Amino acid sequence: MSLKNKEIWFKKWIIGKQTYEQISAESGYSVSTLQRYFNVMLRKAPKLSYSQNKEVYLLIDGTYFSNEICLVVFRDDVFKQTQLYRITDGEHYEELKEDLENILNLGIKIGGITCDGDKSLLKAIRKVCPKFPVQRCLVHIQRMCKIWLSAYPKSVAGFELREIVCKLHFIDSEVKKQYWIKEFLDWSEKHKEFLNEKSYSQETGRYWYTHKMVRRCFSVI
């Protein structure tokens, strides 16, 4: 079997998800012969190399599945290319730290990082690449704030803040960014007393912020 034919059948098995029996019927080679060739090719995995002069802006996010599997993806948001991924059971500091170190060791130049603010990830970023600019993902901020505020906030401050939050994903220029920041700052000044209002329990002697969900959104933004 020529090397070219081996690669064709191997790709059909790996990428096309064809079974040994299907490839055997199509190629005329026995299942045992195909297995022998494929095992040799599996032992000769291509060496991972990377050459990139431009900086990448990493979008790091973990997606959880129902079978307790977490897929952590390190994707360049500009060139739309996945730089690295890990299949694990959670977003763990040691693993995230190792992944960031591997990315840097490959020679990838990081211009900035966008993430959802996971504590383990932020800790890994501070350890491996503390000088790189980091920002929170606007989609995650918007999603969490809408959950905390609910679809129909009971307070005027909560209702107004929800309207401001819903405009986050429309920011696509510096001008829109500045307008949004001004609107948010005007809102925070208008409802300063509301945000700082506290409740008191005579039984425990403890104080807490009365409108904690609205304040939580304010703190996250």
Side-chain angles (χ1 to χ4, degrees):
M1 189 189 302
S2 68
L3 179 60
K4 185 176 182 181
N5 284 337
K6 288 181 185 179
E7 292 179 351
I8 291 174
W9 304 126
F10 184 71
K11 288 180 179 179
K12 288 189 175 184
W13 181 59
I14 292 291
I15 303 174
K17 299 182 180 179
Q18 292 188 15
T19 64
Y20 279 118
E21 288 74 16
Q22 291 172 326
I23 298 175
S24 175
E26 185 178 350
S27 65
Y29 294 97
S30 66
V31 171
S32 59
T33 299
L34 292 171
Q35 288 176 332
R36 185 169 66 254
Y37 284 134
F38 290 177
N39 286 336
V40 171
M41 298 182 78
L42 285 171
R43 288 195 293 269
K44 296 180 179 179
K47 185 178 180 181
L48 182 61
S49 61
Y50 189 93
S51 59
Q52 176 66 269
N53 294 324
K54 297 180 180 179
E55 292 184 333
V56 301
Y57 291 84
L58 288 179
L59 178 60
I60 306 174
D61 192 20
T63 301
Y64 289 84
F65 299 90
S66 57
N67 51 358
E68 298 184 355
I69 290 179
C70 176
L71 174 64
V72 182
V73 177
F74 297 75
R75 186 171 176 80
D76 174 30
D77 195 42
V78 176
F79 301 102
K80 307 301 180 184
Q81 295 177 341
T82 298
Q83 308 299 310
L84 185 146
Y85 70 88
R86 177 191 288 270
I87 298 176
T88 179
D89 60 356
E91 296 172 82
H92 306 299
Y93 165 71
E94 290 296 337
E95 293 180 347
L96 294 168
K97 174 176 170 291
E98 180 183 0
D99 291 341
L100 288 170
E101 290 172 342
N102 288 334
I103 288 175
L104 292 177
N105 290 336
L106 285 171
I108 298 175
K109 300 176 183 179
I110 301 175
I113 298 175
T114 300
C115 64
D116 61 359
D118 179 81
K119 292 182 179 179
S120 297
L121 177 56
L122 291 177
K123 181 180 178 182
I125 293 172
R126 287 194 295 268
K127 179 66 176 180
V128 180
C129 38
K131 296 183 179 180
F132 297 159
V134 180
Q135 70 176 21
R136 291 286 303 277
C137 173
L138 295 182
V139 174
H140 282 91
I141 294 175
Q142 186 182 67
R143 184 186 304 159
M144 293 311 302
C145 286
K146 290 171 75 173
I147 292 173
W148 293 333
L149 293 170
S150 76
Y152 303 99
K154 297 179 180 179
S155 64
V156 174
F159 180 81
E160 291 178 356
L161 181 57
R162 195 179 194 282
E163 287 191 325
I164 295 173
V165 167
C166 288
K167 299 176 184 177
L168 267 173
H169 66 285
F170 291 114
I171 300 175
D172 57 5
S173 67
E174 182 64 27
V175 174
K176 290 182 180 180
K177 171 186 170 183
Q178 295 303 326
Y179 273 115
W180 190 92
I181 291 175
K182 184 180 185 307
E183 186 177 5
F184 175 70
L185 293 176
D186 290 343
W187 173 88
S188 63
E189 184 65 27
K190 176 182 175 181
H191 298 286
K192 183 186 296 185
E193 293 184 4
F194 179 88
L195 288 169
N196 294 326
E197 184 179 338
K198 291 185 177 181
S199 298
Y200 173 74
S201 172
Q202 293 183 347
E203 295 180 0
T204 61
R206 293 181 58 195
Y207 288 91
W208 66 90
Y209 288 106
T210 305
H211 312 288
K212 58 182 180 180
M213 288 302 164
V214 177
R215 186 175 177 84
R216 179 181 293 180
C217 293
F218 170 72
S219 301
V220 167
I221 297 173

